[in-house]
Each structure stands twice: as structure tokens, then as C-alpha cells.
Amino acid sequence: MRNFRIIALFAALLGCSTQVQAHAMLDHASPAVGGTVATSPGQVTLYFTQALEPKFSGGEVHNAAGARVDHGKSVSGNVMRLSVGSLPPGSYSVTWHVLSVDTHTTQGSFNFHVGK
Amino acid sequence: VLDPLIASRAVHLASSLVVGGVAIFSALIVQSVNTTSFPDRRQEQLMFAALALAVLSGATWLLFLAARIGQSSVAAVIDDGTAWSVLTETQFGQVWVGRLLIAILLFCVGLVGPGVWRRGLRLLPSLQAALAVVFVGMLAWSGHAAGTMGFGGFLHFGGDVLHLITAAAWVGGLVPLLMFVGPRVRSPQPPLVDCFRVLRRFSTLAAWSVAALAAGGVLNTWFMTNGLRSFFGTEYGDLVLVKIALFLVMLGFGAANRYWFTPRLLPTNVATEEDTRALRLLCASVSLEIALGLVVICVVAVLGQLPPPGHEHHMD
């Protein structure tokens, strides 16, 4: 009975995986999260709280109609850049997913607006 | 449900600490006390077994990690190349390749070591200990310390390396200590002078290790909990408190070994019934200390997967 309790304690301890969550968080972005820029930014830049693994980190930019408008990404250190070229005025959504160098995955999204 | 990633991490941590513990024990304790029975065949076998387990559990850790990153099964990530990408294109994978090379070097040193040592090359145990220390210390790149940025990142990483190496010297070293002392309980006339010296020397090393271990632990916790602001009332903080409680109990056993059991082993070659009884109690105490160390390692494996509250960042 005592052995069973010890085994159950170990199993409970090792079974805490449901709590696994993200580690690298979005610190800030340009254009800012929920912000408005007067003209097309050329690229969306995301700054994270930890360095990223380029191979397993990426993002997408979509316009209000749901069409993808980004073309190419670059990741260096804790910064991810998504090229968007010339964006017409309107609302855009950015979705991102990253793997931090301490091997934890995170994802998120935010919107920004181009034009007055 | 048992999480295979956490289980792999726990087995890998435990086996890596034993690799470090055996190498440090051989170089700093046994070699300097009793050169006639060195190198010890049983210690060599323990080193090989721990190394094999570390390599195997390191491989399963990488595969289960790739499966989590790829949100797929282990078979699928091997098939589609995700596991290979994790090995070759991430910091974690590159550290794993480096540690695998060190493990191979340790295997080689273990194979040729005893013969070379007998021919007079006495530096070999030190070389083995140096390699093992690097093997253990590099584990810091697989944990949260790898993600802390800026100058604080260097401090955090340094604290984690210190924490791991001193854990190997103390907790990992308990296993070879038990293997050294254990057989002398059954022996009709144990060489207790060696036993006494080994225990005293290990005890001193453990005391220094505990101090450094605690310093590394404080540094780690400070960075992980945003300067303790996110320590209390969080799951992460609660688990750290469990770890500290277990650490204190282990310290109690260590103190009993040093101040109660060891002084009863009089530095004499003639074994009395009282000596044998003290040795038996000491072995039981060390065994319990090892068991508690395993529980602490399981807690550490879970902590490695939890989101540290100090890393959370909320955007409005």
C-alpha cells in the first residue's frame, strides 16, 4: 500500500504536463499591437522576450478579406520581420508562432490599421 | 497520464548527475584516499551504465521534444525530418550533438583509462572529471536559463551551470559513495580507515557543494520568478517550495552522516560490531538521501516544462 502511494506520487508529479504553456512572449511590435500607421510599414516587426529558433518560428499577415499579404520572413535573435510590401489602407491581422531557444512554443495574434 | 517528455528529462537529469558524480568522486575522493584499490571496477561499470542511460534518455528527450514541436507522433517527426531539424538547426540540438561527442570521449576514457592509469598516467581521472563536468554543465542550455536575455542571461546561465555541477558532486556522488561503502558492510574485516577517510572527504565536498547549490538555486529562482515577485501563489513557486523542503530533508540526512554515523567509524583497520552497525545505518541513510534526490530531480523535470511566472508578459 505504501509502495503504491509512492508510485502514485511519482505519477502525479510527472503527469503535470497539462500545465505546459508558452514561454517566449511578444514584447512589442511595429506597427504597434492595435495601433494605426498613416502609411504602409513595408514590414511588420515583432520583438519577443526570448531569442527564437528561426526554423520553427514564423508568422502571417492577412487583410480584412482574409487574404494573405506577407511574403517572406526573417528571424534574428528575438526579432521576427514579416515583409508586407505596400499595403493599401485597411485593417490587418498578424498571427505568429515561435519556438524559443529554451524549446518552448508560443503563438498569438494582433491587429493593426493602415490609414487615417 | 505520464508525460514522456518529462519522464525522459527526469531520467536524463538523473543519469547525467550520476556521470558527473562518479567522475568527481573518483578524481577528488577515492584516488586521493586509497590508490591501491583504484580504479574500482564497480565504479567503472556504474559510469558506463549511467553514460549509456544518459545517451539513450537524451535521444528520447529529443524525439519527444520534436514530436511536441511538430504536434505529431514520434514516428511521424522521424519520417518527415522534423526530428533531424531539431537536432541540426536548433540550439538545443547543437548542444545535444556536443554533449554526445563528450559522452563518446568519456566512453573512450573509461575504456582505456584503467590500463593507462596503471602505467602511471595519473591525470586521467582528472580528465574524466573535467569532461563529465562539461557534460553536466552544458545541460543548462536545455533549460530556462538558455532563454534569459541580456546581462541577466549570463548570470542566470552561470547560476544554472553551478547548480548542475554541484548537484552532480553531491547528489550524483551519493551513488558511487554507496557503492564504495556498501560492500564493506558485508565484508568480515572491512578496511574502515579508507571508509572513514572517504566519508570525511566526501562530506567536506558535499558541504561546499550544498553552499554553491543553494547560491545557484537562489539565482535561478530570482530570474525565473521576476525577482521573487511572482514566486508565491504560483504553481512554479509552489513546486520550488517542495524542492526546497526536500533539499532541507536531504541536508538533514547529510548532517546525520557527517556528525553522527561517520565519527563512529573509528580510524582503525579492526572492524567491531559497532562499526558494522554504524556502517549499515549510514548506508540506509545514504540510500534514503538518493531516493529523495530522485524525487527532487522529478520536481526539476516538471519545473523545466512549466511556464516560469517571471517570463509571463501580458499586453493590453
Side-chain angles (χ1 to χ4, degrees):
Chain A
M1 186 63 190
R2 194 176 167 189
N3 287 345
F4 175 76
R5 278 184 196 158
I6 293 169
I7 291 166
L9 177 71
F10 265 88
L13 203 61
L14 296 175
C16 290
S17 57
T18 51
Q19 305 299 327
V20 172
Q21 290 174 34
H23 290 223
M25 298 292 172
L26 181 65
D27 188 62
H28 64 282
S30 173
V33 174
T36 299
V37 289
T39 56
S40 177
Q43 65 181 15
V44 179
T45 311
L46 295 85
Y47 300 87
F48 291 87
T49 54
Q50 292 187 349
L52 310 175
E53 293 291 0
K55 171 74 180 179
F56 295 101
S57 302
E60 294 181 5
V61 184
H62 293 265
N63 63 19
R68 189 169 175 182
V69 295
D70 66 285
H71 37 81
K73 65 148 191 188
S74 71
V75 178
S76 177
N78 66 324
V79 181
M80 185 196 301
R81 292 184 173 84
L82 302 169
S83 299
V84 290
S86 180
L87 296 176
S91 290
Y92 295 88
S93 66
V94 181
T95 56
W96 55 265
H97 66 276
V98 297
L99 175 70
S100 56
V101 290
D102 65 356
T103 71
H104 296 281
T105 52
T106 5
Q107 54 191 344
S109 63
F110 65 90
N111 296 318
F112 68 91
H113 193 80
V114 177
K116 293 182 180 175
Chain B
V1 180
L2 189 74
D3 184 321
L5 184 55
I6 293 177
S8 297
R9 190 188 274 257
V11 173
H12 188 75
L13 279 172
S15 50
S16 295
L17 292 189
V18 172
V19 167
V22 175
I24 293 169
F25 186 79
S26 294
L28 297 183
I29 310 290
V30 183
Q31 192 194 0
S32 59
V33 169
N34 180 4
T35 51
T36 53
S37 68
F38 185 85
D40 186 331
R41 187 86 198 130
R42 285 161 56 89
Q43 303 284 347
E44 287 165 24
Q45 288 167 348
L46 176 63
M47 173 60 107
F48 281 130
L51 263 177
L53 192 58
V55 169
L56 197 67
S57 56
T60 57
W61 182 346
L62 186 126
L63 288 174
F64 287 121
L65 176 66
R68 202 192 66 194
I69 292 169
Q71 295 180 324
S72 190
S73 66
V74 167
V77 293
I78 293 172
D79 205 38
D80 66 14
T82 303
W84 182 250
S85 293
V86 171
L87 182 67
T88 57
E89 295 182 64
T90 66
Q91 177 180 288
F92 176 89
Q94 285 154 10
V95 168
W96 245 223
V97 171
R99 293 185 70 235
L100 178 64
L101 291 175
I102 293 171
I104 292 168
L105 281 174
L106 279 166
F107 266 115
C108 295
V109 169
L111 283 175
V112 303
V116 177
W117 193 88
R118 284 186 198 101
R119 282 200 291 274
L121 189 60
R122 299 295 159 96
L123 278 175
L124 222 67
S126 304
L127 172 68
Q128 189 182 42
L131 285 170
V133 161
V134 175
F135 181 75
V136 174
M138 282 176 79
L139 259 175
W141 266 304
S142 66
H144 287 126
T148 307
M149 295 178 61
F151 177 70
F154 286 107
L155 275 179
H156 189 186
F157 185 78
D160 208 23
V161 169
L162 183 72
H163 200 63
L164 283 161
I165 293 171
T166 49
W170 176 34
V171 185
L174 286 170
V175 181
L177 178 73
L178 185 64
M179 286 185 73
F180 184 89
V181 177
R184 282 152 177 85
V185 177
R186 291 187 295 273
S187 173
Q189 206 169 39
L192 291 184
V193 176
D194 289 351
C195 222
F196 179 80
R197 286 182 186 155
V198 162
L199 284 163
R200 285 303 296 258
R201 208 170 159 85
F202 180 81
S203 183
T204 305
L205 175 73
W208 283 105
S209 297
V210 163
L213 190 72
V218 168
L219 210 57
N220 256 343
T221 307
W222 181 267
F223 281 106
M224 301 308 291
T225 59
N226 198 16
L228 296 182
R229 280 191 287 274
S230 311
F231 185 78
F232 295 102
T234 62
E235 193 174 10
Y236 190 92
D238 290 346
L239 267 180
V240 172
L241 285 174
V242 169
K243 190 184 164 191
I244 291 169
L246 290 166
F247 170 77
L248 290 175
V249 177
M250 285 179 74
L251 266 186
F253 279 107
N257 294 344
R258 183 184 172 94
Y259 297 109
W260 192 17
F261 297 126
T262 304
R264 293 177 183 219
L265 304 172
L266 300 173
T268 167
N269 272 319
V270 184
T272 65
E273 203 169 297
E274 196 184 337
D275 292 337
T276 312
R277 190 168 165 270
L279 259 184
R280 196 173 291 124
L281 284 170
L282 190 133
C283 285
S285 171
V286 172
S287 301
L288 279 170
E289 217 176 330
I290 292 171
L292 284 168
L294 280 173
V295 180
V296 171
I297 287 167
C298 290
V299 172
V300 171
V302 175
L303 280 173
Q305 293 298 107
L306 281 182
H311 281 206
E312 286 177 358
H313 184 94
H314 301 287
M315 300 199 68
D316 297 321

